[in-house]
Structures are given as structure tokens and as C-alpha cells.
């Protein structure tokens, strides 16, 4: 199906390619798609959500948006501690 965790993982991989190509806006949109799929599949307190938030935070930091990056990374950190 279109909204499975496997699809979300593939989107994360694609987003990482875009990230490494310095295409931060496209990477962000792809990471958001993966986030929404994982949220639907697992809820908001799952390790896949934490991983996705980490990638989104790194992407925002690289895109010179440190305040947004900090929010995303803090949320990822709090999920990892659970």
C-alpha cells in the first residue's frame, strides 16, 4: 500500500539523497510525507517518528533554520528517552 512503514522508510532514503544533494526544501517535503505515514501507522511516540524528526532537524540545521532544527531535535530526543 501507499501508506505503509516500508513506503515511509523508502521516502526517508530518498529524502537523504536530496539532503546530500543540498536540496533541503525537497528533502523537507519528503521527510514530512514519511512523518505523516509513520504517525498514521504508529502514533506519535514511536522510534520511527524519532528517527524522522532527527532527519528533519538535521535538514533544517543545514538549511540555516536553527530554531526549527532545535525544536525538532528536542522532540526526537524526548522520544528516544522513553
Amino acid at each position: 500500500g501507499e501508506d505503509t512503514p516500508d513506503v515511509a522508510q523508502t521516502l526517508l532514503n530518498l529524502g537523504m539523497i536530496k539532503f546530500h544533494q543540498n536540496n533541503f526544501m525537497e528533502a523537507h517535503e519528503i521527510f514530512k510525507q514519511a512523518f505523516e505515514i509513520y504517525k498514521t501507522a504508529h502514533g506519535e511516540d514511536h522510534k520511527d517518528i524519532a528517527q524522522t524528526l532527527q532527519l528533519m532537524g538535521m535538514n533544517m540545521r543545514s538549511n540555516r533554520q536553527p530554531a526549527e532544527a532545535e525544536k525538532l531535535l528536542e522532540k526526537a530526543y524526548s522520544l528516544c528517552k522513553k
Side-chain angles (χ1 to χ4, degrees), residues 38-55:
Y38 280 139
K39 188 168 79 168
T40 300
H42 301 308
E44 291 196 34
D45 292 336
H46 192 271
K47 66 179 179 66
D48 290 337
I49 293 288
Q51 175 193 21
T52 304
L53 290 170
Q54 289 171 352
L55 292 173

Side-chain angles (χ1 to χ4, degrees), residues 6 8-9 12 14 21 24 29 32 35 38-40 43-44 48 51 56 60 77 82:
D6 289 337
Q9 183 60 53
L12 290 183
L14 178 60
Q21 293 171 339
F24 304 121
E29 292 304 315
K32 282 191 341 188
F35 177 85
Y38 280 139
K39 188 168 79 168
T40 300
E44 291 196 34
D48 290 337
Q51 175 193 21
M56 292 171 77
M60 288 290 101
Y77 175 68
K82 289 184 177 187

Side-chain angles (χ1 to χ4, degrees), residues 53-76:
L53 290 170
Q54 289 171 352
L55 292 173
M56 292 171 77
M58 287 178 14
N59 187 59
M60 288 290 101
R61 184 189 66 207
S62 295
N63 198 27
R64 295 183 175 91
Q65 296 181 35
E68 184 64 22
E70 183 177 14
K71 282 191 271 183
L72 292 164
L73 292 169
E74 284 178 355
K75 183 161 172 90

Side-chain angles (χ1 to χ4, degrees), residues 16-42:
M16 286 304 299
I17 290 170
K18 298 299 182 182
F19 172 81
H20 288 295
Q21 293 171 339
N22 296 327
N23 191 343
F24 304 121
M25 295 306 293
E26 193 169 349
H28 182 72
E29 292 304 315
I30 292 168
F31 290 148
K32 282 191 341 188
Q33 284 180 273
F35 177 85
E36 291 302 323
I37 292 170
Y38 280 139
K39 188 168 79 168
T40 300
H42 301 308

